[in-house]
Amino acid sequence: MDILPSPLQNQAALEDFFSRMFQDILAGRVTLESVLLVGGFFGAFFLLAALSIVFGKKPTGFLPKHPVTWLTTPSRISQLLDAAVSQRSKVRVSFHHQDKPTRSTDGVLLEAGPRTLKLELSSVRNANQAWVGRTLELAFRLRLPEQPEVQSTFGFMSGIEHVSKDADGVVRLTISRPQRLELNQNRQHLRVEVPDKYVRSLQLWTEDEVRRRGDPNDPDTWGDPSFSLDHDGSQDLLLENLSGGGARVQLTPETLHRRHLPIRLGQQYFMRITLADVDFGGHRTHYLLSRLVKCYDDCASRLDLSLGLGFVAQGAPVQAPLTGLNWTLVNRDFGVPVIDDWVFGLHLELYRNKGIA
């Protein structure tokens, strides 16, 4: 008789054991082995259920104690408050009553002490001693060294401790120093008024015209622009200001009288703008899709009209020379980086050469 190898002998013995246990359970016979089998089964079930309850709970001990946008490090708070004082950053101040904003004004931080802040409210005429003890919501913007091209907004809550007036009658508040600052993710882009000599050309096409005439990916099919600025030719519009997030253009009175294109909020325009380098070492053309977000003053005006355009997408040439455009959506918080960089460079240049700005 052949002898089975040891692993097969163990497997056969285990199968025989379970076979006898199930036969005893089905026949209603109570044996020590069947009791141990049933008890082990239910014991394992309840153990797994208990473990799932214990380990299924959220690991609250590992969750952050506050949102990531909160700044609570005292040294960092001091750095930002001191910067707001030195830069004389405008502070937006909201007075609250039962957690609802009832009044807003602008102020300037004069001093950031170890326990209190001093705030000047030049736009407020009358100091009210009843303000002492009231809660304020404040927000200020700063240009951080790591992101000099954008302004970051910081907010905090504070209580009024003292109200006074200086010798000139300007209202000043002493408020409590905040325990935290909250970073607002919504950033404001630097906006500059661009001198004419930096704008080589600017054309606008309505989206409807471009799609009706040709291909949005091929500027050669767009046809004549709806409005154009070319210092050697037509001047239907003027560029009033520019930022990485958008532009404001003014339609000339002659254009408003001559052209009768419908203008409505939400309308989209393809834009081609050629800007000279800040040092006039060359120039660069940008393709943008923009949306009309505001009319100054009335979209139907035939006398005086400016358009506030927000950038929606940016078109990059597929290859040089231009054979088509690849469109990518613009992040509203960060705008068009190449425009942002150019605007910031121009801002520094105008600042260094006062009299040009």
Side-chain angles (χ1 to χ4, degrees):
M1 180 177 179
D2 294 332
I3 299 177
L4 292 174
S6 180
L8 296 180
Q9 286 181 339
N10 294 336
Q11 180 179 352
L14 186 62
E15 291 177 354
D16 181 64
F17 171 77
F18 281 107
S19 176
R20 287 187 289 104
M21 290 304 98
F22 283 114
Q23 288 177 4
D24 289 339
I25 293 172
L26 293 175
R29 292 190 295 270
V30 179
T31 63
L32 177 61
E33 291 85 350
S34 62
V35 171
L36 291 175
L37 179 63
V38 174
F41 173 78
F42 284 102
F45 173 80
F46 286 114
L47 177 62
L48 291 175
L51 291 175
S52 66
I53 294 175
V54 172
F55 292 100
K57 293 181 179 179
K58 292 182 179 180
T60 54
F62 297 95
L63 292 176
K65 295 181 180 179
H66 53 73
V68 294
T69 55
W70 287 14
L71 305 177
T72 58
T73 305
S75 59
R76 181 59 169 164
I77 293 175
S78 295
Q79 180 186 27
L80 294 172
L81 291 176
D82 290 342
V85 173
S86 63
Q87 295 181 24
R88 292 191 62 81
S89 300
K90 183 174 72 173
V91 181
R92 192 65 177 168
V93 184
S94 297
F95 294 77
H96 282 255
H97 176 66
Q98 295 180 349
D99 298 326
K100 294 181 180 180
T102 58
R103 184 179 181 184
S104 296
T105 188
D106 293 326
V108 175
L109 275 179
L110 300 177
E111 181 183 327
R115 197 187 65 84
T116 61
L117 309 177
K118 291 192 181 298
L119 182 68
E120 180 180 279
L121 303 180
S122 57
S123 59
V124 176
R125 300 303 178 191
N126 298 316
N128 192 335
Q129 294 300 323
W131 291 348
V132 175
R134 298 262 313 263
T135 299
L136 298 177
E137 182 177 352
L138 306 99
F140 62 92
R141 296 190 181 100
L142 286 178
R143 294 194 181 281
L144 303 178
E146 59 268 26
Q147 286 185 313
E149 72 278 7
V150 297
Q151 288 184 320
S152 297
T153 303
F154 300 92
F156 64 96
M157 303 291 289
S158 181
I160 300 176
E161 297 189 1
H162 183 68
V163 180
S164 63
K165 283 188 176 183
D166 65 10
D168 297 325
V170 178
V171 175
R172 293 186 176 181
L173 305 180
T174 300
I175 62 177
S176 59
R177 186 183 178 91
Q179 298 299 310
R180 72 168 187 261
L181 298 178
E182 298 182 21
L183 176 63
N184 187 334
Q185 295 300 317
N186 186 22
R187 295 186 170 94
Q188 182 186 33
H189 302 280
L190 175 64
R191 185 177 296 272
V192 297
E193 296 180 3
V194 183
D196 291 344
K197 61 183 180 181
Y198 287 97
V199 184
R200 296 291 182 88
S201 64
L202 171 62
Q203 293 89 30
L204 294 178
W205 291 261
T206 65
E207 183 184 23
D208 293 340
E209 287 180 312
V210 169
R211 296 190 182 281
R212 184 175 65 252
R213 295 172 180 172
D215 182 1
N217 298 324
D218 184 1
D220 290 338
T221 66
W222 294 0
D224 295 332
S226 306
F227 308 105
S228 65
L229 167 63
D230 189 331
H231 295 295
D232 296 329
S234 60
Q235 295 192 15
D236 299 328
L237 48 78
L238 303 173
L239 179 64
E240 293 190 305
N241 56 53
L242 180 67
S243 77
R248 176 170 170 173
V249 299
Q250 180 184 22
L251 299 181
T252 62
E254 295 77 15
T255 301
L256 292 172
H257 284 103
R258 186 178 71 254
R259 306 294 300 273
H260 295 284
L261 291 175
I263 297 174
R264 60 185 183 278
L265 293 178
Q267 192 172 24
Q268 299 199 140
Y269 292 87
F270 284 94
M271 175 188 294
R272 180 170 61 196
I273 182 170
T274 301
L275 300 170
D277 294 340
V278 174
D279 60 0
F280 294 104
H283 60 273
R284 182 170 178 177
T285 299
H286 307 276
Y287 293 87
L288 303 156
L289 177 64
S290 62
R291 178 181 293 118
L292 179 58
V293 295
K294 189 170 184 178
C295 287
Y296 306 87
D297 290 315
D298 180 5
C299 290
S301 174
R302 295 300 169 187
L303 299 175
D304 187 12
L305 176 61
S306 293
L307 308 180
L309 302 170
F311 296 145
V312 176
Q314 177 185 13
V318 174
Q319 63 185 45
L322 176 65
T323 57
L325 299 174
N326 276 334
W327 291 97
T328 57
L329 292 177
V330 171
N331 185 307
R332 187 172 60 180
D333 287 339
F334 297 97
V336 180
V338 66
I339 300 291
D340 243 350
D341 292 343
W342 185 88
V343 167
F344 188 68
L346 178 61
H347 169 74
L348 294 179
E349 181 68 19
L350 297 179
Y351 182 80
R352 284 193 293 264
N353 300 277
K354 292 182 179 178
I356 298 179

